[in-house]
Amino acid sequence: MFQKGLKDVVAVETKIASVNGEKGELRYRGELVDNLIANASFEKLSTYLWTGVHSKPSSLFLEGRKLPEHVIQLLRTLPKNLQLMDGVRTAVSAYATPNFLKNSSYDQSVLLTAALPVIVAFLYRQNQDLEPLESNEELGHTANYLYLLTGISPTSTEVAALETYLMLTMEHGMNASTFAGRVTISTESDIPSAIVSALGTMKGPLHGGAPSGVLDLLDEIQSTERVRLTIESKLEKGERIMGFGHRIYKTEDPRSILLREKCLELQGDDKWLDLASYAEKEIIQILNEHKPGRNLYTNVEFYAAAIMRAIQMDAALFTPTFSVARIVGWTAHAMEQIDDRTIFRPQSVYVGKSFV
């Protein structure tokens, strides 16, 4: 059987997460994500996703914030015009040392997850001609990430908004980057190599760049009076409306509902958030008028962009921040694939010239 892009082909049995597009449900380890994030932190939910048990996070979450000296030296040698995702990928590859690989796959997963936001912040500040900062051990994973970027202790509202985004996007089934990581680890490679593969895949704009597209859309709209004019013009040209519609969800993306609630907490004096909130309602109405029956609802990227803009996060950080979340899912799948011990080896069909 030939299925281009392996669309809808089942290649893996997993206990990590499930996505029900018809019902609009996302579950981690069988539990609705809506319920899980209510009283969770990034560290606690990561631990649950890795183990399937609600238990105390590993102390390696703190240890992993201290980058190895050889990684720091490598980061300092990278050119400042290098894209953040390329720098992050290079740094993660440097973790594949004999000493690091002596750790269990679980410990490697915790250490890399803890290190990734530190690496992102280090590179971002270095590119801005700012000295990278030391982690604040008094802060949690998400708050420390925001602190490392700016040097300013974030507000509890800002932390809650970003942490909600990180927890909602740490896993989402067999997406392109997760698949890439599982293919790599299926060859009996190692955890850092799997994450490098996933990061390379996430860099592509068809996978990891959607929130930036939402920002471009809202910047183009500019004001509530221009929503209909802008959207109808795009539809006439056959352009995609970024932040609306999803390949899997046929109803509202459950993650967008929860992120919308966090946006409402940030809303008030922020004119940009006010615009996003107004635009969502009108764009859905316009889409229903022009594409009846298509069920094009807001997806997670729309409010992800809104939150990141509200907390004044540079657009260059959107895909790296997505990766800071998704590394939890990548490592969970890598560990599951190690236990599976099956190499991915699909077939191809030759369609080139024939010579008799």
Side-chain angles (χ1 to χ4, degrees), residues 12 40 57 100 112 117 138 162-163 176 200 211 243 263 275 283 294 343 352:
V12 166
F100 183 81
L112 285 174
E138 300 300 316
L162 182 59
E163 189 150 66
C263 277
L275 173 61
I283 291 172
R294 288 284 301 276
I343 188 172

Side-chain angles (χ1 to χ4, degrees), residues 12-32:
V12 166
E13 292 181 323
T14 183
K15 296 179 181 178
I16 298 168
S18 62
V19 183
N20 187 318
E22 298 298 328
K23 292 183 178 180
E25 289 183 352
L26 172 61
R27 294 176 181 268
Y28 292 169
R29 299 282 182 180
E31 293 190 53
L32 284 171

Side-chain angles (χ1 to χ4, degrees), residues 42-43 65 140-147 154 158-160 162-163 166:
F42 181 93
E43 296 93 323
R65 294 181 184 181
H141 184 84
T142 304
N144 185 60
Y145 177 42
L146 287 171
Y147 167 74
E158 290 171 335
V159 174
L162 182 59
E163 189 150 66
L166 295 178

Side-chain angles (χ1 to χ4, degrees), residues 5 18 23 68 101 112 157 180 192 207 209 229 236 241 245 247-248 257 267 288 293 296 298 301 304 336:
S18 62
K23 292 183 178 180
L101 297 177
L112 285 174
T157 304
H207 185 25
L229 175 67
E236 288 174 8
I241 309 302
R247 181 174 179 176
I248 296 175
I257 297 171
Q267 197 173 352
N288 285 334
L296 295 172
T298 319
E301 284 84 13
E336 189 174 66

Side-chain angles (χ1 to χ4, degrees), residues 3 51 53 56-57 74 78 85 96 134 143 179 185 188 198 208 214 226 231 242 249 256 279 308 324 326 348:
Q3 184 61 54
T51 66
V53 177
K56 184 179 179 181
L74 173 63
L78 295 177
M85 288 297 288
E134 293 288 332
F179 180 62
I185 206 73
E188 297 189 359
V214 175
R226 286 178 45 82
I231 298 304
M242 300 302 292
Y249 292 113
S256 72
M308 291 185 189
V324 165
R326 189 54 62 83
S348 60

